[in-house]
Amino acid sequence: MPQECNSCLYDDKHPFGMAFKDRTCLGCLTHKEKQTLDWQARKDKLIQITHKLKRHSKTYDCVVPVVGDAEDYFTVNEVLDLGLRPLIVCVNDYFKNDIAWHNLHNLITHFDVDSFVFNPDMNVYKELVKTSLRKYEHVLLPFLQLHTSFPVHVAYERKIPMIIWGQHQAIEQVGKFSHSDEVEMSKWSRQQHDIFTVDIDKLMGNGAQVQQRYVNYYRYPNTQALQKRGTTGLYLSNYIPWDPLKQNYNALTYGFIPQRQIATFDIYDRAGSSIYYDLHDLLKLKRVGYRKCVDHLVREIRHQRIKPTHAQTLADHYMNTPVNIKPFFNWLGVTSSGYEWFIEHKLSGMKHLLSKEPLSESVKLTKKISDLLVNGESPQRSFILFGKGIDI
Ligand SMILES: [Zn+2]
């Protein structure tokens, strides 16, 4: 029997690992800190830490890694409020639809910040995605490896002293540490929580036929070299009481476009991804027993915008929503028979969740949640390959 939390919908199968105290998960217990910590003092500490950066740096004070998500709007806004000059760095995952590209370009334009988008070698990337799918039944690992290492390389190479991230997911979801521990970015934390212990070498060994020199940026920089240069990374969620739905709602005022989803009510989180709520969500269900909607519902239970019983009803609905995964296999260049093989052998228990034309049913949300939502848009085009010349 899995151990379940009395307060939220998580159990001990959470991919970050979950501990319990008196039948309540540590994620719920750590969340309660948000009502008790002195957040003004924590913000003052953030101001103090980041103030030092301004004296240190000749060009940029910090690197801010983004994907163009609503949460990135919040993070960039906070960084600018701190008086910092950021360099915005985005790794192209090649899964962005038109909404995602709008949101990324609008973020850069609205806040008028210097930026660049890194477009990894497409053949190498696809080879890694294929291997990741075959060996780990995960399609985002190559992107996650790059997203959590490339910006650190940029900071190191350009002598930019700090990387500023938004939330520390393992604290927000499973309460791995207290906010007041002020956990910093580290190779260990990346290994455990961002890439689930699958580093690039695991994809290379017995797998992807890729030359080592093509994957340097998929690997985290040498820790001693980072220490010597003084490159560090912090998470804003340790200094600001993190409330994603509320924060992301505010991104609308900056021109962020939310996306209507059928597998969750959250129109902000990962808006613009062509796979996040489709194949990635089904593989997540297979690996850990739940889909992304549960993370969203747990978050809303903790912020007291929905009761656990109501959240469970919604989870049952969203968990059974069929999606169309075929476009991903087209993108990867898999033949129809390869696609059929994958369904037969890897998703045999999930055929009821596959549909070419997913249907959307309306669900009853609480007022506290729906007050923070608007009508999301639907993408016109998926898998747009910006950054690689021709998009056909
Ligand atoms: Zn809990």
Side-chain angles (χ1 to χ4, degrees):
M1 276 289 282
Q3 193 170 2
E4 292 171 348
C5 177
N6 267 354
S7 306
C8 73
L9 308 181
Y10 281 150
D11 60 30
D12 55 9
K13 282 168 71 187
H14 194 289
F16 296 155
M18 182 65 96
F20 294 82
K21 200 175 170 191
D22 300 330
R23 295 190 183 175
T24 302
C25 76
L26 276 195
C28 284
L29 292 173
T30 303
H31 179 83
K32 290 209 170 83
E33 286 184 351
K34 289 183 183 171
Q35 279 124 45
T36 55
L37 285 175
D38 181 350
W39 289 102
Q40 188 52 52
R42 305 211 53 68
K43 185 74 183 273
D44 290 346
K45 184 119 189 237
L46 176 67
I47 292 169
Q48 201 187 344
I49 294 167
T50 53
H51 186 70
K52 287 182 197 151
L53 301 175
K54 286 186 251 183
R55 283 179 304 182
H56 196 283
S57 174
K58 287 197 182 73
T59 53
Y60 301 105
D61 303 314
C62 58
V63 164
V64 178
V66 305
V67 293
D69 229 343
E71 186 152 301
D72 297 328
Y73 280 66
F74 180 80
T75 300
V76 171
N77 193 40
E78 287 294 322
V79 164
L80 293 175
D81 267 359
L82 288 163
L84 301 174
R85 184 167 179 226
L87 175 63
I88 306 298
V89 177
C90 176
V91 172
N92 188 355
D93 63 2
Y94 300 117
F95 299 136
K96 292 185 190 307
N97 64 25
D98 52 325
I99 292 175
W101 282 113
H102 164 87
N103 286 335
L104 177 62
H105 292 147
N106 181 66
L107 170 82
I108 292 160
T109 313
H110 175 84
F111 291 107
D112 197 14
V113 280
D114 285 5
S115 64
F116 71 89
V117 178
F118 175 59
N119 303 299
D121 182 302
M122 179 68 98
N123 292 327
V124 170
Y125 183 76
K126 280 195 176 178
E127 180 65 24
L128 293 171
V129 171
K130 263 185 202 163
T131 307
S132 174
L133 179 61
R134 191 178 71 244
K135 285 179 80 174
Y136 298 99
E137 299 185 353
H138 201 308
V139 283
L140 281 175
L141 286 172
F143 166 70
L144 292 172
Q145 289 165 350
L146 268 181
H147 175 68
T148 53
S149 67
F150 182 74
V152 188
H153 281 280
V154 170
Y156 177 78
E157 287 170 6
R158 297 188 177 209
K159 298 184 182 165
I160 302 169
M162 186 175 274
I163 298 105
I164 297 188
W165 302 88
Q167 65 167 297
H168 192 298
Q169 280 199 75
I171 296 177
E172 297 307 305
Q173 290 189 26
V174 302
K176 261 281 163 76
F177 310 96
S178 162
H179 295 94
S180 53
D181 288 338
E182 293 166 20
V183 174
E184 291 188 359
M185 173 190 77
S186 72
K187 189 176 183 175
W188 174 83
S189 184
R190 170 185 182 264
Q191 189 79 4
Q192 295 298 316
H193 309 122
D194 296 319
I195 61 172
F196 309 104
T197 74
V198 181
D199 55 27
I200 187 66
D201 295 310
K202 285 192 178 164
L203 290 183
M204 305 277 286
N206 284 331
Q209 300 300 308
V210 173
Q211 285 181 31
Q212 283 287 346
R213 68 195 179 97
Y214 283 106
V215 297
N216 189 41
Y217 285 133
Y218 287 80
R219 201 172 274 128
Y220 199 75
N222 180 286
T223 304
Q224 276 146 356
L226 288 174
Q227 277 169 355
K228 207 169 164 199
R229 191 160 281 182
T231 315
T232 56
L234 66 70
Y235 298 89
L236 285 184
S237 59
N238 287 330
Y239 303 91
I240 295 165
W242 218 246
D243 185 347
L245 199 64
K246 215 175 233 178
Q247 292 165 191
N248 294 346
Y249 176 70
N250 288 334
L252 296 172
T253 59
Y254 307 130
F256 175 86
I257 295 181
Q259 181 175 343
R260 190 174 66 90
Q261 307 288 359
I262 52 165
T264 181
F265 62 92
D266 192 323
I267 51 176
Y268 309 109
D269 191 18
R270 315 289 169 147
S273 172
S274 303
I275 58 161
Y276 201 81
Y277 296 102
D278 305 308
L279 180 61
H280 175 70
D281 216 21
L282 294 194
L283 294 175
K284 183 182 171 99
L285 175 64
K286 191 177 174 195
R287 283 195 313 273
V288 299
Y290 69 90
R291 286 168 73 170
K292 187 64 190 176
C293 60
V294 170
D295 290 333
H296 296 150
L297 289 163
V298 165
R299 186 192 68 201
E300 296 312 302
I301 291 170
R302 292 174 182 167
H303 283 284
Q304 299 178 352
R305 287 190 280 260
I306 191 167
K307 294 209 159 52
T309 46
H310 187 179
Q312 186 60 59
T313 310
L314 292 179
D316 293 342
H317 167 80
Y318 290 124
M319 294 259 278
N320 285 301
T321 307
V323 291
N324 184 8
I325 63 169
K326 187 74 168 64
F328 168 79
F329 288 90
N330 294 342
W331 172 86
L332 198 57
V334 173
T335 59
S336 290
S337 56
Y339 169 69
E340 297 300 333
W341 184 94
F342 188 85
I343 290 173
E344 214 49 58
H345 292 86
K346 300 289 187 181
L347 297 176
S348 57
M350 294 188 179
K351 287 183 187 167
H352 62 293
L353 297 177
L354 302 175
S355 166
K356 285 225 167 64
E357 285 173 44
L359 298 171
S360 171
E361 284 172 44
S362 59
V363 290
K364 190 117 182 71
L365 292 162
T366 62
K367 189 169 183 307
K368 280 183 181 168
I369 291 177
S370 54
D371 278 353
L372 295 172
L373 301 174
V374 293
N375 288 327
E377 295 192 15
S378 296
Q380 303 300 310
R381 296 171 65 204
S382 300
F383 296 97
I384 296 178
L385 303 182
F386 258 140
K388 280 294 169 195
I390 303 164
D391 170 38
I392 47 170

